[in-house]
Amino acid sequence: FSRRGPYRMVRNPIYWSDLLAVTLIATCLPWPGLAMPILFWFHYGSIIRFEEAALGCRHGQPYQAYMDEVPRILPTCRSLLQWRRALAEFHVTPSGARHNALWILLVPGMIVAAITLDFSDAVLVALPAVIDWAVVHTVIGLRGSP
C-alpha cells in the first residue's frame, strides 16, 4: 500500500474523486439523480471494507497504523494539511492518464452539458473515453493483471 501523494490525505483517493465526480454529475440531472452519490457511497463502502480486510491480512500492523492515521474516503481537516506534500509527490503516468481518460473527457463534457442544458452533450464528448476505458479494462480483465 502507498502512503505517498494523495494517499496521505485519504486511503482511497480514486474513490474520493469518483464520489466528487458522481456528485457533480448528479447536480446536472433531474432530482432523482441525487440518489447516485448515495448509491455510490453504499456500493463503494462494501468494496472498501473488502479491500481493507485483504490489505490488513497482507500487511498486518503497518496497514492498521495507516488506517488509524489516514481517513477512509473523505479527507479531514488534519489530513488536508498534507496537501502540499501530497501534491509534490503526485505524478500522472501515461498509464494513469489512460486508466482515467473517462473522467478527463467527462468533466469537459459535463461543462458543455451545463452550458447547453443537454446531458447528451456530455455523453457525446465523453463517448471516446468511455469506449477506451471499456477496452482497456476488458483487456486487463482478460489478462488478469493491472
Side-chain angles (χ1 to χ4, degrees):
F1 63 96
S2 176
R3 295 184 99 160
R4 299 178 54 80
Y7 294 93
R8 291 184 175 283
M9 296 167 53
V10 292
R11 295 192 306 265
N12 298 282
I14 293 170
Y15 299 155
W16 177 37
S17 64
D18 285 352
L19 177 62
L20 238 64
V22 166
T23 302
L24 291 173
I25 290 168
T27 64
C28 296
L29 299 173
W31 71 266
L34 296 176
M36 286 175 45
I38 296 165
L39 295 172
F40 173 91
W41 183 267
F42 285 111
H43 172 68
Y44 269 39
S46 63
I47 292 170
I48 290 169
R49 285 188 296 280
F50 173 80
E51 291 173 345
E52 287 176 345
L55 288 167
C57 287
R58 182 180 299 161
H59 299 287
Q61 181 54 35
Y63 187 72
Q64 183 60 49
Y66 175 62
M67 287 186 0
D68 292 342
E69 294 170 19
V70 179
R72 178 180 275 163
I73 194 168
L74 297 175
T76 62
C77 291
R78 185 173 147 236
S79 72
L80 285 172
L81 292 175
Q82 297 288 320
W83 75 270
R84 282 190 182 160
R85 193 166 179 195
L87 187 59
E89 295 170 343
F90 182 73
H91 303 285
V92 177
T93 64
S95 175
R98 181 95 190 269
H99 284 277
N100 292 290
L102 174 64
W103 295 118
I104 293 168
L105 285 180
L106 192 59
V107 170
M110 292 306 294
I111 292 169
V112 169
I115 293 167
T116 65
L117 300 176
D118 188 350
F119 185 71
S120 62
D121 290 340
V123 173
L124 290 174
V125 171
L127 192 58
V130 172
I131 293 168
D132 182 63
W133 184 91
V135 168
V136 166
H137 289 86
T138 299
V139 169
I140 289 170
L142 292 174
R143 272 197 322 233
S145 63

